[in-house]
Amino acid sequence: MKVKYFIILILFFGCTKKKTEVGSEKSISESGLYYFNLSKQEKYSDQQRINFLNRAFSLTSKLQNSKESRNLLSDIVFQYYDFELSDGFNSSSKVLLKNSLAVLDSTNLGKAYRSRATYYKNTNNLDSSFIYFSKAEKLYFKLDKQKEILANVYLNKGVVQCMASDFLGAELSLTRAYSIYKDSDNKNKLYGTLNQLGLVYNELKEYEKAVFYHEKALETVRKYNLQNEQHQEAVCYNNLGYLYIKQKKYKEAITNFEEALKDKQILKDDPDLYSLLIDNLAYSRLQSSNYKDLPKLFFDALAIRQKFNDPTVIVGSSIHISEYYQKIGNNLLSIKYSQDAIKVAKKSKIPGNVVLALRQAQVVDTKNASLYSRDYVRISDSLQIVERQSKDRFNRITLETDEIIQENDILEDRNRKLLLGFTITFILVGLLFVVRAQRARTRELLFKQAQQKANEEIFNLMMSQQSIIDESRNKEKKRLAQDLHDGVLGRMFGLRLNLDSLNSSTDPDAPQKRNELLNELKTIEQDIREISHDLNREKLVLINNFVSIVHNLLEEQKSLHQAEVTYNIDTSINWDKIGNAIKINMYRILQEGLQNINKYANAKNISVEISGNSENVFLKIQDDGIGFDVNKKSKGIGMQNMISRTNDCQGIIDITSKKDNGTSIVITIPIETKQLIEEQA
């Protein structure tokens, strides 16, 4: 809504001009250097000096493309800029750019880039200006001794970005300029950079930062006594006042504008600044209902602006006057000045001016509000589209410049380095992985060796237990033999003698005694049968130590856990043909299966069956517990051990389980194959 006073103390020529000498292709009186020197002499009139400069350019542009001619040409470009001759500045900078590119003269090429960028900025061709400032930036960035010129490029580039509403880009460029200028002796450029940063942060609505940089600019002016006919202090106060207007802190705004207007030379030296100050002061008073010197201040500002014929500020003044009359209730005058603003805005063909004027008109002219509103929405939407497109256009332009190719080369070099680093890292990681894998295999081998040793110890314990059982069985046989000899045989001998005596006896009671002896004989027969059964049962139970150990394990499961256990061990299996390694692994698998059921299954019934035929031995463990997901990738250590032991026996394990439907584990182990392996081992 408000027009800001952009201070652009950024004369792009920051270097000292050097006097050069051109080779004598023509006489000295006709050389470009001769006429160039004449153009610098103030004893001649402005028009004469311009004619000398034009003659110098005409002659120099026809010379061979030497270092001396390029140096002279760059001086001519600067002189055109000082004379504010846009056409000559444009033509001479084009020739300088062409000649410098032809031989890659970096010194004059940088000057040519800055010249072209400045020309396009002055003619409001912001895209082209941005391109050439970007080219200059890349060139001077590589030159360590040109830091202040680089800062000047950053500053100009930031101004161009600000003019194009690319405020984030402007913030970056200006911050880079500030980082260089703050340590330099060029305090005027430092002041200009701080002021511009304050304006950028104002647009970004980061008001605390905006206040900081504007106050910093004011402090710089006072500290280094920079005040001159440009009235830097008044500019700082104006910018601070405008910042407070945007925050609707009108009291603080009025204070700053009044402070600036204490400088009585502003009207004489810079009427444009004076009109801006009094217009802003009047607007702040209006918004705070302080009508002192109103509407005189508004009309004074409008009169000054009409002399300079700047449509943007004229539209601003007309809108403020319309707002004033609207506030005091004079609707006719309010409508009149809003319509004046529309006329000037449309004549200027600046969409932003038209939008501001239409917005005021639709507020005060209620009869035609719908017409104004329609135009306002249409133009406003168009401006928003343009604004959105312009935000990234400088980025798109940058990508389309030739320097991107050079940047790509740099990126390719970096990518090669990154690829090399990645390759080395990959190799190191691979080696680390191999080392860790080797260590893991070593640990696995040690574990298997330890397991094998443990199996051997288990087998020795089983054999030791077998020996104890055999000894116990022999003792039992000896006891039975004694019982038979001393008990049964003695009784049978007594019966035989009694029967012999009865054969020759005529006693009428002999038949009864014979029956009693026969009954006694039956009792002895029953005793012998029981002893026989006991011997047969001992043979079945203790026929093999493995069966006994399995029997003890299952009986222990019965006594220690609540689940009901039923088991069946096929007595037809010839355990002598089955290797000890298979027996140990089967025992361990059964033990692990029972432990898993006890820990996780919550089963009520457990069934164990060991059977076999001439080729295979089978172990089946079944429960009615909660089951588990057999497709789960990660299995417990116990289950992995069962699978590993089955594989060691060259067997097959089949695990079937469903949720809430129990688990069944069936293991099939070949007898002959395993036996052959053990014999070879």
Side-chain angles (χ1 to χ4, degrees):
M1 183 181 76
K2 303 297 290 181
V3 180
K4 297 177 296 301
Y5 189 81
F6 281 93
I7 285 297
I8 309 174
L9 295 176
I10 16 176
L11 193 60
F12 69 100
F13 308 110
C15 58
T16 304
K17 300 175 184 177
K18 298 184 291 183
K19 290 186 179 182
T20 58
E21 294 183 0
V22 182
S24 56
E25 296 178 23
K26 295 186 178 182
S27 64
I28 190 64
S29 62
E30 294 182 9
S31 69
L33 179 59
Y34 172 76
Y35 287 105
F36 174 71
N37 289 332
L38 289 178
S39 71
K40 295 193 297 180
Q41 297 181 18
E42 296 182 359
K43 65 181 181 179
Y44 297 108
S45 66
D46 290 343
Q47 187 58 50
Q48 286 177 313
R49 294 175 67 185
I50 292 171
N51 292 337
F52 290 144
L53 186 59
N54 289 335
R55 181 63 176 165
F57 172 54
S58 177
L59 292 171
T60 305
S61 61
K62 297 176 182 178
L63 295 175
Q64 290 183 354
N65 187 13
S66 63
K67 182 177 180 181
E68 291 77 10
S69 66
R70 290 192 299 274
N71 289 341
L72 178 56
L73 191 57
S74 68
D75 291 340
I76 292 172
V77 172
F78 297 162
Q79 192 76 331
Y80 272 123
Y81 182 82
D82 290 340
F83 286 165
E84 298 182 1
L85 299 173
S86 180
D87 291 340
F89 181 57
N90 180 31
S91 301
S92 59
S93 60
K94 280 184 179 179
V95 177
L96 179 62
L97 177 61
K98 177 183 176 183
N99 292 350
S100 300
L101 281 173
V103 294
L104 296 179
D105 180 356
S106 59
T107 301
N108 285 303
L109 185 59
K111 296 175 183 178
Y113 283 152
R114 290 154 54 203
S115 301
R116 298 305 298 158
T118 302
Y119 169 76
Y120 285 124
K121 183 186 73 173
N122 292 343
T123 55
N124 208 35
N125 191 339
L126 302 181
D127 291 355
S128 297
S129 179
F130 176 81
I131 289 174
Y132 281 106
F133 275 130
S134 298
K135 289 176 182 285
E137 174 190 343
K138 290 178 175 64
L139 191 149
Y140 286 110
F141 185 79
K142 300 175 183 177
L143 304 176
D144 294 334
K145 296 181 180 180
Q146 304 288 343
K147 291 298 183 184
E148 282 205 32
I149 298 179
L150 176 61
N152 198 33
V153 171
Y154 283 141
L155 180 52
N156 278 276
K157 183 181 176 183
V159 171
V160 170
Q161 290 170 305
C162 192
M163 292 169 67
S165 299
D166 179 17
F167 298 112
L168 291 176
E171 176 193 10
L172 178 60
S173 298
L174 293 169
T175 302
R176 289 172 175 172
Y178 173 67
S179 66
I180 298 174
Y181 279 135
K182 69 179 181 180
D183 299 322
S184 74
D185 295 329
N186 197 334
K187 302 306 177 184
N188 279 311
K189 294 291 181 66
L190 175 61
Y191 156 74
T193 303
L194 290 169
N195 227 355
Q196 199 68 37
L197 272 169
L199 295 173
V200 167
Y201 283 118
N202 194 351
E203 291 296 334
L204 292 173
K205 294 183 173 56
E206 297 186 34
Y207 298 122
E208 290 185 4
K209 288 185 178 180
V211 170
F212 170 81
Y213 282 108
H214 283 313
E215 290 181 345
K216 194 82 173 173
L218 181 60
E219 177 187 339
T220 302
V221 171
R222 291 172 174 172
K223 182 177 180 181
Y224 297 104
N225 194 23
L226 303 180
Q227 179 79 342
N228 55 33
E229 66 276 4
Q230 293 178 341
H231 302 277
Q232 287 88 341
E233 283 193 24
V235 170
C236 293
Y237 282 124
N238 177 72
N239 290 335
L240 282 167
Y242 177 70
L243 178 60
Y244 288 123
I245 286 177
K246 291 196 72 172
Q247 299 178 76
K248 297 183 179 181
K249 297 179 179 179
Y250 300 112
K251 183 178 179 181
E252 291 87 342
I254 292 171
T255 301
N256 280 278
F257 294 133
E258 289 177 343
E259 188 68 29
L261 288 168
K262 290 180 180 179
D263 186 349
K264 303 303 181 182
Q265 293 297 317
I266 296 177
L267 178 58
K268 177 182 177 182
D269 295 336
D270 195 344
D272 189 30
L273 174 58
Y274 180 79
S275 68
L276 183 63
L277 284 168
I278 61 175
D279 185 73
N280 284 338
L281 174 61
Y283 181 80
S284 300
R285 288 178 177 175
L286 175 64
Q287 294 301 321
S288 58
S289 299
N290 177 2
Y291 298 100
K292 180 182 179 182
D293 297 328
L294 299 185
K296 181 179 181 302
L297 290 175
F298 282 131
F299 283 113
D300 289 347
L302 177 60
I304 294 172
R305 290 172 171 180
Q306 286 174 336
K307 290 181 181 179
F308 290 99
N309 196 27
D310 184 345
T312 299
V313 291
I314 293 173
V315 168
S317 287
S318 299
I319 291 174
H320 289 168
I321 295 172
S322 175
E323 289 179 359
Y324 167 76
Y325 283 118
Q326 177 191 5
K327 196 161 187 178
I328 66 173
N330 191 334
N331 199 48
L332 291 177
L333 286 177
S334 179
I335 293 174
K336 174 187 178 302
Y337 282 100
S338 69
Q339 290 176 345
D340 289 347
I342 291 175
K343 291 177 182 178
V344 176
K346 289 183 177 180
K347 188 175 180 180
S348 71
K349 298 181 180 180
I350 299 175
N353 293 342
V354 178
V355 167
L356 293 175
L358 288 173
R359 184 170 63 186
Q360 176 63 15
Q362 70 178 351
V363 172
V364 299
D365 190 354
T366 55
K367 292 182 179 180
N368 300 310
S370 60
L371 296 176
Y372 294 135
S373 178
R374 183 184 61 200
D375 291 342
Y376 172 80
V377 171
R378 176 177 55 81
I379 299 174
S380 180
D381 290 344
S382 300
L383 280 176
Q384 289 179 4
I385 294 172
V386 172
E387 184 179 353
R388 285 196 296 269
Q389 291 174 345
S390 67
K391 284 184 178 179
D392 297 325
R393 68 177 178 177
F394 285 159
N395 291 331
R396 294 196 300 271
I397 290 170
T398 301
L399 293 175
E400 293 169 357
T401 59
D402 294 338
E403 277 65 27
I404 287 299
I405 299 175
Q406 298 177 3
E407 290 184 359
N408 286 339
D409 293 338
I410 296 173
L411 289 175
E412 287 179 4
D413 182 58
R414 291 178 181 174
N415 288 339
R416 283 193 293 270
K417 292 179 181 178
L418 287 174
L419 180 61
L420 178 61
F422 175 78
T423 303
I424 294 173
T425 304
F426 180 77
I427 292 173
L428 291 175
V429 172
L431 289 174
L432 180 62
F433 176 78
V434 170
V435 170
R436 293 188 64 181
Q438 185 62 37
R439 288 181 179 178
R441 284 195 291 269
T442 302
R443 287 195 297 268
E444 184 180 359
L445 180 60
L446 292 174
F447 173 76
K448 287 185 177 181
Q449 291 176 349
Q451 189 180 41
Q452 184 177 0
K453 185 176 181 180
N455 289 340
E456 292 176 356
E457 291 177 356
I458 292 171
F459 179 74
N460 292 332
L461 289 173
M462 290 174 65
M463 293 300 99
S464 175
Q465 187 176 4
Q466 178 67 39
S467 298
I468 294 172
I469 293 174
D470 290 343
E471 183 179 353
S472 299
R473 186 165 56 186
N474 290 332
K475 288 181 180 180
E476 186 65 17
K477 286 181 179 179
K478 186 176 181 180
R479 182 187 65 79
L480 289 173
Q482 290 176 349
D483 288 345
L484 287 172
H485 182 272
D486 298 338
V488 174
L489 291 178
R491 289 163 62 190
M492 290 183 67
F493 180 74
L495 285 173
R496 183 173 62 80
L497 291 177
N498 289 329
L499 287 172
D500 287 341
S501 64
L502 286 175
N503 288 334
S504 57
S505 174
T506 58
D507 189 350
D509 295 329
Q512 183 179 355
K513 290 181 178 181
R514 184 180 288 110
N515 289 332
E516 290 177 357
L517 291 174
L518 288 174
N519 290 331
E520 180 68 19
L521 185 61
K522 289 179 180 179
T523 301
I524 293 172
E525 178 184 353
Q526 182 64 31
D527 290 342
I528 293 173
R529 183 178 292 108
E530 289 180 359
I531 291 172
S532 175
H533 286 171
D534 289 340
L535 289 174
N536 188 47
R537 191 161 46 248
E538 179 190 17
K539 181 179 179 180
L540 291 175
V541 173
L542 301 178
I543 191 170
N544 189 283
N545 190 28
F546 173 74
V547 177
S548 176
I549 292 174
V550 171
H551 175 81
N552 291 338
L553 175 64
L554 294 171
E555 290 298 324
E556 182 180 344
Q557 170 70 25
K558 278 185 177 182
S559 62
L560 296 179
H561 300 281
Q562 295 181 354
E564 184 70 24
V565 180
T566 58
Y567 62 91
N568 178 42
I569 302 175
D570 189 354
T571 58
S572 66
I573 300 174
N574 188 353
W575 293 104
D576 293 334
K577 290 185 178 181
I578 300 174
N580 292 325
I582 293 178
K583 295 176 184 177
I584 292 171
N585 282 321
M586 286 186 64
Y587 178 81
R588 287 296 191 191
I589 291 170
L590 176 59
Q591 188 180 46
E592 192 67 53
L594 293 174
Q595 287 180 0
N596 286 345
I597 294 172
N598 296 333
K599 288 181 181 179
Y600 311 115
N602 194 23
K604 295 181 180 179
N605 297 285
I606 302 173
S607 172
V608 177
E609 182 178 352
I610 300 176
S611 59
N613 53 33
S614 59
E615 295 180 354
N616 300 297
V617 61
F618 308 99
L619 170 61
K620 183 177 181 181
I621 308 169
Q622 193 169 2
D623 68 78
D624 60 356
I626 62 175
F628 66 97
D629 185 4
V630 296
N631 296 320
K632 188 177 181 182
K633 290 185 178 180
S634 59
K635 296 180 173 61
I637 296 176
M639 189 64 68
Q640 291 177 355
N641 287 340
M642 294 172 69
I643 295 172
S644 176
R645 289 182 180 278
T646 303
N647 293 334
D648 289 343
C649 296
Q650 298 185 0
I652 300 171
I653 183 169
D654 181 21
I655 304 173
T656 305
S657 181
K658 290 183 179 180
K659 189 175 181 181
D660 300 327
N661 201 22
T663 302
S664 174
I665 302 175
V666 178
I667 297 171
T668 304
I669 298 175
I671 297 175
E672 297 297 333
T673 303
K674 196 64 185 179
Q675 188 69 21
L676 289 174
I677 291 174
E678 288 182 352
E679 289 175 356
Q680 290 174 359

